Structures are given as C-alpha cells and as structure tokens.
Amino acid sequence: MGGILLYAYITSSGLILQELTGMSSQLASILFVAVFSLFVWHSTRAVDRISVVLITFMVLSFIFGVSGMAINVDVAVLLYVANPERQYAPYAMAMLPVALTSFGYHHSVSSMRAYYGEERKAKYAILGGTIIALALYCFWLISIFGNLPRHEFGPVIEQGGNVDVLLKQLDGVNASESISKAINAFSMAAILSSFIGVGLGVFDFLADFFKFDDTKAGRTKCWLVTFLPPLVMSLLFPFGFIVAIGYAGAAATVWACIIPALLAMKSRTLSGGNQGFMAPGGNAMIGAVILFGVLTALFHFLAMAGKLPSFIG
C-alpha cells in the first residue's frame, strides 16, 4: 500500500512541477525524490520539523487560495441542479477505496508510537490530525465542486484523476491568477507532506523487516528499497493519480483493516492481552473493521470490472 502511495505522489508531483517549471515530468519526479526523501533518510525528527513547515505553508496557501474559491461557490453548481435526476449514492461504493487510502495511515502508526514513546500520545496525535485533515478535506471538496461544473470533470477523469489536470480545469474557472497560484502551491505542499509522511512509515517498516542498522549505510540501503522502486515505476508507468490511489485502497483493505483487526483479536486472547492500551469497541468494532475491509475490496474489484456506476463527466 505504502509503495503504491509513494508511486502516486511521485507521479503527480512530477506532472505538477512540469506545469510550473517546464522541465520534463520524469526529471521533475527524479529531483522531487532526490531532494525530499532526504528528510526521511535523515531522521524522524527531520520529518517532524519539515512537516511543521509544510503544514504552516499549507494553511496559509489554503486560506488564501481555497477561501478565494469558497467565496465564489455557486450553490447551483455545487448541488448540480442542472441535472434534476442527479444521484450520488450509486457512486459511493466506488469511492470507498479512495476514501480508505486518503485516511489510512496504518503504515505510520508504528513510527508515531516510536516517536512519541507511548500509545496514548500517538492516539491523540492521530485523532487530532484526522479531524484537521477531514475539516480541510470537506472545505476543499465544497470549494472544488462549487466552482467547477460537473461536465468540466471530463478531462480530469480521462487522465485518471491526475492532480495537474484538475488544477488546469480550475484555472479556467478562476478569474484571479493569484488564487490559482495559491491553489497550485497548496496542492504541491499537500502532496509533499503526504509523500514524506508515507515515506517515513514505509522506511521504518522496511528497516525493521530487512533488519537494516540505524547507521548511514543501513539507512541508505533502506532509502534505496523504499524510494527507488516507486520512482522507477512512476517513470515507466505514469498512470493516473486516482487509479493508483484506488489500487492502494484495495491493498489497504488487507494491511490496514483485516490484518490489524485479526491481530487485535488474537492479542486479546493471550495472557495479559487485556492490559495496557486497547482500542475501544470490543469484538463488535473488530468485526466492523473486517467487514469494512472486505466490502471495500469487493467494491474496488467490481469497479475494475465495470460493474459499478461511474461518473464520466
């Protein structure tokens, strides 16, 4: 899952940088990885520090850019009143894999546990981060769908949901060039912060899996196995952002839903398994998480087979 996400972020960043700088997307992707993966290679603290900077920048660009769009939200466009027979529920099933990936950070839990030193601090950090991200996400969606008519999503969908194509379409409906630049800056910062966060989780997982030493040589080996494969795949097969996120969501059903739930169920049957930190909800919550994972995987494969409704613009 983490590798697929890194692939998606690398591909999208290369395309956005191509639009901003004029360099080839392949070269932009290589430079993106070469520069920003160094924070992960250096340390968790370096990731923490750069994340604070990125989040501050995101908040400022978000306030200026997205609030500018929010002021111009057209309720008729937002609610799609041009189509009186509009329906949204049929598309919810195909949305689940993307939603799971957007708010799936299972790969980062162990890193946060190690960084904070105990479970409860990590829990509150995850909960607080989720609430903030969800609020911004909803505001972003309202601003996008309230400005961009549904038929304008056609080119975005044709390109697999690539972020650079979405930004181009938004440029066409935004009268202010400064707002467009702020939205581009916010999008780039959002992808960068996600890239670093996911990269750290995958890095720590692979370091533990391959037993790499916490030395410069060991971290360099781990850096290679973490970032080189998704970079190569991005250069060879630059598929759409949403397509990649969908595949990541399908993988996440196993690694972020089913397996953790089964591990929690098993641990509670062991001696001392009911001591220390425990996720709330008991076996009912474990069953609900497993069911959610199974249904999400099922919906993803049904969507791939063309058995679910899809909006084409």
Side-chain angles (χ1 to χ4, degrees), residues 164-186:
D164 64 305
V165 184
L166 174 62
L167 296 178
K168 283 183 182 179
Q169 295 300 104
L170 289 173
D171 287 342
V173 298
N174 283 323
S176 173
E177 183 179 353
S178 58
I179 291 178
S180 296
K181 289 182 178 179
I183 294 172
N184 278 271
F186 168 77

Side-chain angles (χ1 to χ4, degrees), residues 37 49 142 176 259 272 290:
S37 63
R49 295 295 180 263
I142 292 173
S176 173
I259 289 181
I290 293 175

Side-chain angles (χ1 to χ4, degrees), residues 273-294:
N274 293 325
Q275 299 177 3
F277 177 83
M278 287 184 62
N283 289 331
M285 180 61 71
I286 291 176
V289 171
I290 293 175
L291 178 61
F292 174 77
V294 172

Side-chain angles (χ1 to χ4, degrees), residues 8-312:
Y9 297 141
I10 293 170
T11 302
S12 293
S13 64
L15 293 171
I16 294 175
L17 289 173
Q18 181 183 38
E19 291 295 323
L20 295 176
T21 64
M23 71 174 69
S24 69
S25 61
Q26 291 84 358
L27 177 59
S29 294
I30 293 172
L31 293 176
F32 177 83
V33 173
V35 173
F36 295 110
S37 63
L38 291 179
F39 291 100
V40 177
W41 174 85
H42 186 274
S43 64
T44 301
R45 182 168 292 277
V47 172
D48 181 30
R49 295 295 180 263
I50 190 63
S51 295
V52 171
V53 174
L54 287 172
I55 291 173
T56 302
F57 180 77
M58 286 171 59
V59 169
L60 294 176
S61 59
F62 186 89
I63 291 174
F64 183 75
V66 181
S67 62
M69 288 201 305
I71 295 174
N72 298 318
V73 165
D74 187 335
V75 177
V77 174
L78 176 64
L79 300 180
Y80 197 22
V81 297
N83 182 5
E85 299 180 358
R86 61 191 179 279
Q87 293 182 345
Y88 300 106
Y91 306 113
M93 293 180 289
M95 177 198 71
L96 282 180
V98 177
L100 173 60
T101 307
S102 300
F103 289 91
Y105 28 69
H106 172 68
H107 50 272
S108 299
V109 171
S110 59
S111 297
M112 298 188 70
R113 167 63 179 81
Y115 182 66
Y116 285 105
E118 57 106 355
E119 291 87 352
R120 297 196 180 278
K121 287 184 179 179
K123 181 186 74 171
Y124 290 127
I126 291 173
L127 180 61
T130 300
I131 293 173
I132 294 172
L134 179 60
L136 295 177
Y137 193 60
C138 292
F139 193 46
W140 167 262
L141 288 178
I142 292 173
S143 300
I144 296 294
F145 283 92
N147 280 269
L148 194 63
R150 296 299 188 275
H151 65 272
E152 296 286 347
F153 282 92
V156 182
I157 297 171
E158 289 177 3
Q159 296 298 318
N162 280 338
V163 179
D164 64 305
V165 184
L166 174 62
L167 296 178
K168 283 183 182 179
Q169 295 300 104
L170 289 173
D171 287 342
V173 298
N174 283 323
S176 173
E177 183 179 353
S178 58
I179 291 178
S180 296
K181 289 182 178 179
I183 294 172
N184 278 271
F186 168 77
S187 301
M188 194 65 216
I191 291 175
L192 176 54
S193 62
S194 299
F195 169 80
I196 292 176
V198 172
L200 175 64
V202 177
F203 185 94
D204 286 344
F205 171 78
L206 293 177
D208 180 69
F209 183 80
F210 289 111
K211 308 301 180 184
F212 290 129
D213 295 330
D214 191 18
T215 61
K216 288 185 178 180
R219 295 185 73 85
T220 299
K221 293 177 184 177
C222 194
W223 179 90
L224 289 173
V225 298
T226 300
F227 294 103
L228 195 57
L231 174 60
V232 172
M233 293 299 293
S234 174
L235 298 177
L236 295 178
F237 309 104
F239 294 134
F241 182 79
I242 297 299
V243 175
I245 292 294
Y247 281 110
T253 60
V254 177
W255 297 109
C257 292
I258 298 174
I259 289 181
L262 293 176
L263 288 173
M265 182 184 297
K266 178 63 177 179
S267 68
R268 294 177 185 185
T269 64
L270 302 177
S271 176
N274 293 325
Q275 299 177 3
F277 177 83
M278 287 184 62
N283 289 331
M285 180 61 71
I286 291 176
V289 171
I290 293 175
L291 178 61
F292 174 77
V294 172
L295 290 177
T296 301
L298 176 63
F299 293 153
H300 173 73
F301 291 118
L302 287 175
M304 289 180 59
K307 301 299 183 181
L308 293 182
S310 60
F311 185 78
I312 58 175

